[in-house]
Amino acid sequence: MKKAYTCFCTDVIHEGHLNIINEAKKYGRVIVGALSDKALIRYNKFPTISQDERVKLYRSLEGVDEVVVQEDMLYDDVITLLQPDYVLHGDNWKNGVESAIRDHVIKLLDAYGGELVDIPYTYNENVKKIDLQLREKLAMPEYRRKRLRQLLEMTPIIKALEAHSGLTGLIVEKTVVEKEGRLDQFDAMWVSSLCDSTAKGKPDIELVDMTSRFRTIDDITEVTTKPIIFDGDTGGMSEHFVYTVRTLERMGVSAIIIEDKKGLKKNSLFGTEVEQTQASIEEFSEKIRAGKKAQLTDDFMIIARIESLILEKGIEDALARAKAFTAAGADGIMIHSRKKTPDEILEFCDRFRAFDPQTPIVVVPTSFNSITEEELAKHGVNIVIYANQLTRSAFPAMQKTAEDILKYHRSKEADERLMPIKDIITLIDEL
Ligand code: SPV
Ligand code: MG
């Protein structure tokens, strides 16, 4: 009997999927692939049920003869294993970034005479509603909050990009690239104190108060689903920090990172050029303990940021702090540096991993920007934060446009660099 294969990447079965199964039945034995969690997260179909539950769900469908796990978004392994006579898929993947995967499937099938069958995509009010409901579920605080911890289990390295508004949140949420047939996208958002302050025209010195920072988070959570890592600066006084923790949990934020400084905090990238004071190990450990005690969910993470390298106190000091802060309950360690090369960061990571294989490590490679995510992962880094690149790219572009309009007394000269309004609108969801 001929084999008909189709791959599902959904937690909810709707009439579109049932239609594909019915079509597949006409071609032979129906084998359904359940796309693995690891691959799903690159598709922005973050799972709301486990991989095993998806397999069970697909298996329970009438007309399905077999279910296998498709580990990778590319079909190479599954096609080699099954040699299906037919692969069926909704024809919506003919356009956009997914078309590269479709092209690759055709090539794989051509090699032995297999055939791709494009099934007209079912898109009606009912299907649209199911899609929206799934998306909305992911946007709910209880789903969003735990997503960072889930990602730590699912992917070797989490990529977070800075967001400071609804629009930048949408860019982090929706930017997908295709490279060599694979799709990729960001996993999480970093609500940077630098960029949140800069967007408000204020210095990064904890001047923008928490109430205002929470409004920024609100703007982002309104229109996105990806997990949020909040830059909590020093966390303020412990007596205030405990309230911040509770508010962030309630809002569905996944993690706060607080840095071991006290007094007037300045941006770390100024290093020792400005006066900055590091909190003692005892003081900062106490703040972590207070936050952990206040926290009500198991999902939320309090990550301790160590400023020893920024303040040129050395690696020994950084390691001693890392040990103490994890003992105080920190759920992760962020180590920061403003050196051009990653050497001291990598040395820290290697030495930290020698006594702590588990606690997540976070880095912000703004200065040491030649190192790749893969290399960082090899040294035990779990989360990489691109902390300010969106703001730094938008700022000069806006400045140049303002200058050109002034110079030419019209906008024509600036216009060719501008995004058509229609494209901005496509980023924004309409109900
Ligand atoms: C931020 O983005 O606000 C940070 C990271 O704290 S850094 O600017 O590198 O200190
Ligand atoms: Mg900051």
Side-chain angles (χ1 to χ4, degrees):
M1 195 169 177
K2 300 245 182 201
K3 289 187 227 168
Y5 178 76
T6 187
C7 180
F8 285 175
C9 49
T10 184
D11 295 349
V12 177
I13 298 295
H14 56 56
E15 56 201 274
H17 304 106
L18 299 179
N19 182 39
I20 291 184
I21 293 170
N22 282 332
E23 288 299 315
K25 277 200 304 206
K26 297 177 191 162
Y27 289 89
R29 223 176 140 257
V30 179
I31 309 173
V32 174
L35 194 63
S36 69
D37 284 346
K38 183 167 83 21
L40 261 187
I41 59 177
R42 296 283 152 257
Y43 251 79
N44 195 22
K45 292 270 178 63
F46 193 86
T48 55
I49 57 173
S50 72
Q51 192 170 295
D52 289 347
E53 285 169 316
R54 287 198 302 284
V55 169
K56 268 194 212 126
L57 171 68
Y58 303 165
R59 216 172 255 154
S60 72
L61 299 173
E62 209 189 307
V64 172
D65 294 299
E66 187 183 342
V67 177
V68 297
V69 173
Q70 182 175 324
E71 291 292 344
D72 195 82
M73 70 176 80
L74 295 186
Y75 283 54
D76 298 54
D77 290 348
V78 86
I79 284 185
T80 308
L81 182 77
L82 301 171
Q83 297 272 301
D85 302 281
Y86 302 96
V87 169
L88 293 92
H89 197 285
D91 63 2
N92 55 320
W93 74 342
K94 279 182 167 175
N95 305 311
V97 281
E98 280 180 62
S99 63
I101 296 175
R102 177 176 179 272
D103 293 345
H104 190 65
V105 167
I106 293 173
K107 218 162 39 189
L108 293 169
L109 293 171
D110 275 352
Y112 65 93
E115 201 184 309
L116 175 70
V117 183
D118 289 310
I119 307 292
Y121 188 69
T122 310
Y123 205 67
N124 56 31
E125 282 308 310
N126 192 24
V127 169
K128 197 170 150 191
K129 189 149 188 200
I130 289 173
D131 277 352
L132 275 178
Q133 280 169 336
L134 254 183
R135 213 186 144 272
E136 216 40 48
K137 190 170 170 181
L138 287 172
M140 293 297 170
E142 61 271 34
Y143 279 94
R144 194 195 289 254
R145 193 171 48 230
K146 67 182 174 196
R147 200 162 142 177
L148 191 67
R149 282 198 192 270
Q150 290 176 311
L151 277 165
L152 282 164
E153 299 292 320
M154 284 177 192
T155 180
I157 194 135
I158 292 171
K159 309 180 293 288
L161 182 66
E162 175 260 317
H164 59 266
S165 62
L167 184 63
T168 47
L170 281 172
I171 289 176
V172 186
E173 179 86 7
K174 294 195 175 184
T175 304
V176 184
V177 292
E178 177 272 312
K179 193 174 167 208
E180 287 154 12
R182 283 201 167 75
L183 309 186
D184 208 354
Q185 52 182 297
F186 289 100
D187 303 293
M189 311 180 199
W190 166 243
V191 179
S192 150
S193 68
L194 172 70
C195 300
D196 200 2
S197 307
T198 304
K200 291 170 169 62
K202 299 272 174 71
D204 182 19
I205 53 171
E206 298 189 271
L207 174 64
V208 177
D209 69 14
M210 275 299 164
T211 308
S212 171
R213 304 281 318 275
F214 294 155
R215 293 292 74 78
T216 303
I217 296 175
D218 271 342
D219 288 344
I220 295 168
T221 55
E222 270 283 300
V223 293
T224 63
T225 65
K226 288 186 177 173
I228 293 174
I229 305 170
F230 181 71
D231 177 358
D233 291 319
T234 66
M237 301 197 304
S238 292
E239 292 82 349
H240 294 172
F241 179 54
V242 291
Y243 285 91
T244 303
V245 166
R246 291 283 273 273
T247 306
L248 293 173
E249 281 190 284
R250 201 179 307 121
M251 295 176 93
V253 169
S254 302
I256 184 170
I257 300 187
I258 50 169
E259 58 195 272
D260 58 353
K261 284 198 203 125
K262 63 178 185 183
L264 181 62
K265 184 224 82 146
K266 308 250 176 73
N267 185 272
S268 298
L269 299 173
F270 288 122
T272 49
E273 291 156 32
V274 292
E275 208 183 304
Q276 311 209 55
T277 317
Q278 206 170 12
S280 71
I281 290 185
E282 294 68 36
E283 284 169 316
F284 199 67
S285 299
E286 204 294 303
K287 199 182 290 185
I288 294 166
R289 270 194 294 271
K292 288 309 289 179
K293 193 164 160 226
Q295 177 181 331
L296 289 181
T297 67
D298 293 333
D299 311 326
F300 191 70
M301 298 175 77
I302 297 178
I303 298 174
R305 163 172 170 173
I306 296 169
E307 292 285 293
S308 305
L309 304 181
I310 292 286
L311 300 172
E312 295 177 13
K313 300 275 171 61
I315 289 205
E316 299 304 333
D317 184 67
L319 287 166
R321 282 169 180 268
K323 236 181 226 170
F325 299 158
T326 45
D331 301 292
I333 292 292
M334 174 180 150
I335 184 71
H336 205 13
S337 159
R338 62 181 199 127
K339 293 260 160 66
K340 284 272 174 223
T341 61
D343 304 358
E344 62 177 10
I345 288 284
L346 298 183
E347 186 186 340
F348 173 90
C349 293
D350 293 344
R351 291 180 60 186
F352 180 69
R353 278 284 169 257
F355 63 81
D356 186 334
Q358 276 302 324
T359 305
I361 302 179
V362 185
V363 300
V364 181
T366 306
S367 310
F368 48 101
N369 56 16
S370 56
I371 192 155
T372 62
E373 292 151 6
E374 199 184 350
E375 286 171 283
L376 288 167
K378 275 192 204 134
H379 290 269
V381 171
N382 306 84
I383 303 178
V384 52
I385 295 177
Y386 297 97
N388 49 42
Q389 287 79 3
L390 285 189
T391 294
R392 285 163 59 212
S393 56
F395 190 160
M398 289 195 283
Q399 211 161 33
K400 171 101 178 86
T401 298
E403 284 167 6
D404 277 0
I405 293 173
L406 272 181
K407 226 184 262 173
Y408 299 105
H409 298 281
R410 61 180 192 182
S411 65
K412 184 174 182 301
E413 285 71 17
D415 215 66
E416 55 207 42
R417 297 192 306 271
L418 306 185
M419 177 183 249
I421 291 290
K422 152 174 132 323
D423 292 356
I424 289 197
I425 290 169
T426 55
L427 209 57
I428 296 171
D429 288 327
E430 275 184 48
L431 291 186

